[in-house]
Amino acid sequence: MSTIRLTMSQAVIRYMQAQKVNVAGQIKPLFPGVWAIFGHGNVAGLGEALYQARETLPTYRAHNEQAMCHAAIAFTKTLNRRQVMACTASAGPGSVNMVTAAAVAHVNRLPLLLLPGDTFATRKPDPVLQQVENFHDHTLTSNDCFKPVSRFFDRITRPEQLLTSLPQAMRVLTDPVECGPVTLALPQDIQTEAYDYPEHFFVEKVHHLRRQAADPRELDDAIALIRSAERPLLVAGGGVHYAEALSELDAFVSRYQVPVTETQAGKGALPWDHASNVGTLGVTGSAAANSLAQEADLIIAVGTRLGDFASGSRALINPEAKILCLNVASFDAVKHYAQPLVGDARLSLVSLKDGLEQGTAPWRPASSWSERAAALRVDWNATVERVTQDRGTGLPCDAEVVGAVNRAAGERDIVVCAAGGLPGELQKLWRTRFDRGYHMEYGYSCMGYELAGGLGTKMALPDSEVFVMVGDGSYLMMNSEIATSVMLGHKIIAVVLDNRGYGCIHRLQQFCGGPGFNNRLEDCLSVEAGAPKTDFAAHAAALGANSEKVANIAELEQALERAKASDISYVIAIDTDGLNDTKEGGAWWDVAVPEVSPRQEVVDARERYQSHKARQARNL
């Protein structure tokens, strides 16, 4: 057997370079790049190996470990999980900074390869700089924090362990069911140790998207359930995108005139103006979709877990409705006591359509149901038109800003967001015909994702303009990758909505009966009345971006045109009304209210809460 002598780090990088993926008939690298912030725990091992491979496997330097992982996550999300980026950081705080991002990838079922440096396997120099010593278990390091937020975790304490560990890592990263973050903790001394690896270990391997056909019995049961329905509502989730089942979804719902609603992850599965698209579902959903969900006799959930925001914390959907859950993961298919149909969305939608065509009388929903869905859709689209227009007075609300940015976006441009009140406004109001045109990280709703996520999105689709919409709170949490975007030449357009604090949670606090406390800057502990006013345009300029502040929607629309013409990242700041959100649409969300409080407002909120909990109980 022919062998090649490599350090463990060199072997990791060479193996990564050998992994390819078939994307629409084109063979591409599974790993098109690596994000790295070096320190003593990875600079001499992985750093040297990456340097040798820099011509074919580029290394990108970031300014924050969590942010670089967000960029990697956004990159793979934009490409429907077909390509993956790796991230490496030094032992200690650098690596632990990636744990939050690992959770983001885990919740959203997105592939991410994490290569954190680790303490010495030999323990000879212990305790080393930045080492967390566990008093009762010396095998634990701070990298064990990755275990609950990784789909696969291994600590490589011998170079030859790669021979069994790396194939398992690739399996998880490319598997439609197991897909998620993989963490390989790499002790800094073992990174530099050499081993005679078999050459066949590095032979090129091409990965293909595995498509699992539905079980025939489950398929027959699903067809029978659909045939029995008169008022079906199909919920399109992120799995529709990842299965690349857009045309199959269109063919199915167009054939049977089934109304379709979308989750945050599923938005864009149908063009916004498709005859079947009734808007988005749930807490931040459209009035049309939410009305239909309360009246439907069958929910066909495709590629979605029906999380609490989609289901209105299990209080929105008609309790008498049956639920059919088509999902590639059986773990998700049985949620909400659904009848499961486990399989690939593309194959299974075709099989459902074929089955429904059998017999003398092909299935159709009740004509009155289709007519009602069409009428509600027209009403909701009129609502969107109205609330996104410039009122021309006072501070603009989020909906007005969303409307201005949406009008500035081209057909294949993308909006990116993650947290605060903006995801609700965007889910309701953003219109796109481009299936990649709406990029929302709302599985974990991680503040700070936005700007780094915009960078990763732009790297994935450089020909699209990427509009990042971010609140002042998230901007202040994590903004360093503006400088990275300028450095790498990946232009993003960021619109910073400054409502002086965490406006979304302030509104939630008040809804739950609480006073304004510690959310808006005017209500937090400070030397004077509120924190100093932040000049976001000046800050962005200091990071190397073009920037400006605007006073109203008319000025914003003009600034957006200048931003599109800019060669580098462009940041636009605008003061907004943090108390005014879109009241149309939406549904209850289960946020527990105290049973006992001296505040009458909390007592009243608890009574409202109990009434909603009673509705929730019908679905449990």
Side-chain angles (χ1 to χ4, degrees):
M1 180 177 64
S2 299
T3 62
I4 179 170
R5 191 161 183 80
L6 300 168
T7 67
M8 182 261 271
S9 295
Q10 292 164 353
V12 169
I13 300 306
R14 181 169 292 211
Y15 189 85
M16 289 171 59
Q17 290 178 290
Q19 308 306 304
K20 309 295 182 181
V21 62
N22 186 316
V23 181
Q26 294 185 340
I27 306 302
K28 297 184 177 182
L30 179 62
F31 297 98
V34 177
W35 286 95
I37 295 180
F38 292 134
H40 69 275
N42 65 344
V43 67
L46 273 175
E48 189 274 341
L50 286 167
Y51 174 79
Q52 299 299 333
R54 67 191 184 282
E55 298 298 330
T56 54
L57 181 63
T59 297
Y60 302 105
R61 181 197 179 281
H63 290 85
N64 179 281
E65 293 91 354
Q66 181 182 328
M68 72 183 184
C69 294
H70 289 329
I73 291 166
F75 178 88
T76 194
K77 177 180 172 67
T78 303
L79 297 179
N80 284 331
R81 311 193 301 192
R82 303 311 305 277
Q83 290 181 288
V84 186
M85 282 196 173
C87 297
T88 179
S90 185
S95 288
V96 175
N97 275 352
M98 300 193 295
V99 171
T100 298
V104 170
H106 193 293
V107 169
N108 288 285
R109 316 291 171 83
L110 293 169
L112 174 68
L113 179 59
L114 297 166
L115 303 172
D118 213 326
T119 56
F120 278 74
T122 63
R123 303 183 188 167
K124 286 182 179 180
D126 287 6
V128 298
L129 180 68
Q130 299 181 325
Q131 179 176 354
V132 176
E133 294 182 279
N134 190 283
F135 288 11
H136 71 278
D137 186 346
H138 280 245
T139 66
L140 292 177
T141 78
S142 55
N143 281 341
D144 285 272
C145 295
F146 284 100
K147 288 182 176 178
V149 291
S150 298
R151 292 304 294 263
F152 179 80
F153 177 94
D154 199 1
R155 178 174 282 112
I156 308 300
T157 58
R158 292 295 310 151
E160 59 268 34
Q161 290 173 353
L162 292 179
L163 296 172
T164 54
S165 186
L166 284 175
Q168 291 294 333
M170 297 308 117
R171 174 188 63 81
V172 173
L173 292 171
T174 60
D175 187 274
V177 178
E178 295 294 320
C179 190
V182 167
T183 302
L184 300 180
L186 307 179
Q188 59 178 293
D189 51 342
I190 307 302
Q191 287 182 41
T192 63
E193 285 192 17
Y195 180 77
D196 294 321
Y197 290 94
E199 287 190 343
H200 67 74
F201 187 61
F202 305 106
V203 171
E204 181 179 290
K205 178 177 175 57
V206 179
H207 298 269
H208 302 264
L209 179 61
R210 181 184 300 112
R211 296 193 180 276
Q212 175 184 344
D215 174 77
R217 181 187 56 79
E218 286 190 352
L219 182 61
D220 289 343
D221 291 345
I223 292 169
L225 183 60
I226 294 174
R227 283 188 176 279
S228 69
E230 294 186 344
R231 304 185 307 279
L233 176 65
L234 191 146
V235 182
V240 175
H241 291 285
Y242 300 145
E244 300 170 349
L246 304 178
S247 61
E248 288 75 16
L249 173 68
D250 189 343
F252 181 88
V253 300
S254 297
R255 170 65 172 156
Y256 302 114
Q257 297 183 335
V258 176
V260 176
T261 181
E262 300 166 318
T263 67
Q264 287 277 17
K267 193 172 171 76
L270 289 179
W272 75 267
D273 52 357
H274 190 285
S276 292
N277 194 334
V278 296
T280 51
L281 179 69
V283 177
T284 54
S286 76
N290 287 351
S291 294
L292 293 172
Q294 295 174 72
E295 301 167 15
D297 61 1
L298 175 64
I299 301 295
I300 306 172
V302 182
T304 174
R305 300 170 292 168
L306 289 177
D308 66 337
F309 256 68
S311 70
S313 297
R314 300 197 181 206
L316 172 63
I317 294 171
N318 176 10
E320 303 301 321
K322 303 291 185 182
I323 299 178
L324 172 66
C325 191
L326 165 55
N327 204 293
V328 73
S330 60
F331 181 84
D332 294 320
V334 299
K335 291 175 179 173
H336 296 266
Y337 308 105
Q339 180 170 308
L341 179 59
V342 178
D344 173 78
R346 177 192 282 185
L347 296 181
S348 300
L349 284 170
V350 172
S351 296
L352 285 173
K353 184 170 176 288
D354 290 344
L356 291 170
E357 291 299 304
Q358 303 301 314
T360 56
W363 170 77
R364 292 289 187 281
S367 58
S368 58
W369 179 249
S370 299
E371 291 165 2
R372 174 156 174 72
L376 287 171
R377 176 179 170 275
V378 170
D379 289 345
W380 176 250
N381 283 333
T383 297
V384 173
E385 287 285 350
R386 175 173 54 81
V387 301
T388 54
Q389 296 302 311
D390 180 7
R391 294 175 302 173
T393 59
L395 284 176
C397 65
D398 290 358
E400 294 172 87
V401 178
V402 168
V405 178
N406 205 167
R407 291 188 292 272
E411 284 288 311
R412 296 186 65 81
D413 292 343
I414 305 167
V415 67
V416 176
C417 191
L422 280 168
E425 299 296 76
L426 285 163
Q427 188 187 17
K428 287 181 183 180
L429 307 175
W430 188 265
R431 290 172 163 177
T432 182
R433 296 185 179 92
F434 180 32
D435 63 289
R436 300 287 78 203
Y438 183 84
H439 183 120
M440 184 68 63
E441 190 289 289
Y442 212 60
Y444 212 48
S445 187
C446 184
M447 294 182 71
Y449 176 92
E450 297 90 341
L451 291 160
L455 170 58
T457 301
K458 183 67 173 184
M459 294 174 75
L461 292 179
D463 292 334
S464 295
E465 290 282 12
V466 174
F467 295 88
V468 177
M469 298 194 66
V470 58
D472 56 299
S474 280
Y475 181 99
L476 288 172
M477 278 193 179
M478 193 170 296
N479 51 62
S480 55
E481 302 327 301
I482 292 175
T484 308
S485 73
V486 175
M487 177 176 70
L488 295 177
H490 294 295
K491 171 197 162 187
I492 59 174
I493 299 173
V495 180
V496 184
L497 290 80
D498 184 2
N499 62 23
R500 297 278 292 158
Y502 305 137
C504 171
I505 299 303
H506 173 80
R507 294 193 299 270
L508 178 62
Q509 186 177 52
Q510 292 192 314
F511 180 78
C512 294
F517 174 62
N518 206 51
N519 284 312
R520 302 195 78 197
L521 294 176
E522 65 190 41
D523 299 324
C524 67
L525 187 63
S526 57
V527 176
E528 297 181 0
K533 177 71 172 173
T534 302
D535 189 336
F536 291 103
H539 181 270
L543 293 177
N546 288 332
S547 63
E548 61 179 292
K549 181 176 180 180
V550 298
N552 51 50
I553 297 299
E555 290 185 10
L556 172 62
E557 290 178 327
Q558 295 169 4
L560 286 166
E561 294 305 311
R562 289 189 288 273
K564 289 193 292 183
S566 174
D567 293 329
I568 64 172
S569 291
Y570 205 104
V571 176
I572 305 169
I574 183 169
D575 290 342
T576 56
D577 180 358
L579 302 179
N580 189 354
D581 60 346
T582 302
K583 301 300 185 291
E584 293 85 351
W588 175 70
W589 183 34
D590 191 343
V591 176
V593 178
E595 254 187 287
V596 178
S597 172
R599 285 179 56 83
Q600 183 60 44
E601 294 90 341
V602 176
V603 174
D604 295 342
R606 177 71 187 190
E607 290 182 3
R608 294 194 303 270
Y609 177 72
Q610 289 295 96
S611 68
H612 287 292
K613 291 292 284 185
R615 294 209 309 270
Q616 181 188 56
R618 297 179 304 171
N619 287 337
L620 296 176

